[in-house]
Amino acid sequence: MRVLVVEDETRLAHALRRGLTADGFAVDVAGDGATGLEKARHGDFDAVLLDVMLPRLSGYDVVRTLRAEDNWVPVLMLSAKDGEHDQADGLDCGADDYLTKPFSYVVLLAHLRSLLRRAPQARPAVLGTGDVSLDPATRKVTVADRPVELTPREYGLLEYLLRRPGRVVTKTEILDHVWDSAAELSPNVVEVYVGYLRRKLGRHLVETVRGAGYRLQP
Ligand code: CA
């Protein structure tokens, strides 16, 4: 497995290279964000260990850029910051996992192994289709870059559909995942809310598949 370490603290970078190499990984090291981004773009890595505070380009910017370019290499962020907010920022810009410095090498290795068990697949931080976009981090929804106000339930329904583009989802599935006490609700409530979404976001966004359910236009 090939791992890219993007870290500007030379001692930590060396220690990681030494440890990971001893554990059988092929290791590349970059000492700043811009070099890290270049290497990650072209290197076909199985995982990236990415510091947050880096010269030239921050770790946040590196992971955001990779995701925007449709690069889904698993990213584990490493940071000296320990505020909850920073962790959330890292994960929201597209990282898969987060470790706060100082960390033990054994724990790092466990996180890395867990990342490598997942195959890289598209995990966009911002969801969208056509001109509709939804950012789960800020809960902002826009149509053609114009913000749209959704109720929490409309938002939940839209997010559920956006995570299943082009797939037919039944009313029951929607009820189970978007409403919490589905047992007491009639599937008709789904119809009503699909109607609200169409009104706010465009008539053709959600297609009715007769007798089956709904499908979001990809
Ligand atoms: Ca640093």
Side-chain angles (χ1 to χ4, degrees):
M1 292 295 206
R2 268 190 86 191
V3 177
L4 173 63
V5 176
V6 189
E7 172 60 74
D8 60 319
E9 290 164 47
T10 323
R11 279 178 59 189
L12 178 56
H14 283 170
L16 286 173
R17 186 206 285 274
R18 221 175 21 246
L20 291 169
T21 306
D23 278 311
F25 290 92
V27 183
D28 256 295
V29 175
D32 66 80
T35 311
L37 176 61
E38 254 338 274
K39 282 184 184 262
R41 273 177 175 149
H42 305 295
D44 196 19
F45 292 96
D46 298 295
V48 177
L49 306 184
L50 181 62
D51 186 28
V52 171
M53 306 297 277
L54 287 165
R56 295 180 70 198
L57 200 61
S58 79
Y60 295 147
D61 291 329
V62 172
V63 72
R64 210 179 282 125
T65 308
L66 287 173
R67 297 322 189 212
E69 293 172 356
D70 248 0
N71 183 323
W72 304 103
V73 61
V75 171
L76 170 55
M77 296 209 92
L78 311 172
S79 174
K81 297 176 162 187
D82 56 0
E84 257 176 53
H85 194 60
D86 301 316
Q87 287 206 19
D89 286 346
L91 297 171
D92 283 338
C93 52
D96 300 282
D97 197 3
Y98 203 102
L99 265 185
T100 303
K101 295 177 189 173
F103 47 79
S104 92
Y105 178 71
V106 176
V107 170
L108 172 92
L109 207 54
H111 280 257
L112 183 57
R113 276 196 303 267
S114 136
L115 268 193
L116 292 171
R117 280 196 291 269
R118 314 176 206 161
Q121 50 172 298
R123 298 174 300 273
V126 176
L127 305 167
T129 184
D131 55 5
V132 175
S133 127
L134 176 153
D135 184 347
T138 58
R139 300 184 73 85
K140 260 208 267 185
V141 174
T142 57
V143 176
D145 293 327
R146 276 196 321 272
V148 177
E149 285 296 323
L150 295 187
T151 66
R153 200 69 76 189
E154 291 164 356
Y155 176 92
L157 173 59
L158 178 64
E159 182 177 12
Y160 186 74
L161 293 171
L162 279 172
R163 290 193 186 278
R164 288 152 190 80
R167 240 187 61 190
V168 177
V169 286
T170 66
K171 287 181 191 172
T172 315
E173 276 179 286
I174 294 175
L175 271 186
D176 285 348
H177 290 271
V178 181
W179 276 264
D180 22 52
S181 50
E184 298 155 32
L185 286 162
S186 141
N188 292 336
V189 72
V190 176
E191 264 167 59
V192 172
Y193 275 82
V194 166
Y196 293 155
L197 281 189
R198 284 179 177 144
R199 213 164 306 153
K200 291 186 175 179
L201 305 173
R203 230 154 35 86
H204 303 293
L205 178 73
V206 187
E207 177 194 356
T208 303
V209 182
R210 214 163 283 284
Y214 297 100
R215 180 165 51 203
L216 195 75
Q217 293 296 340

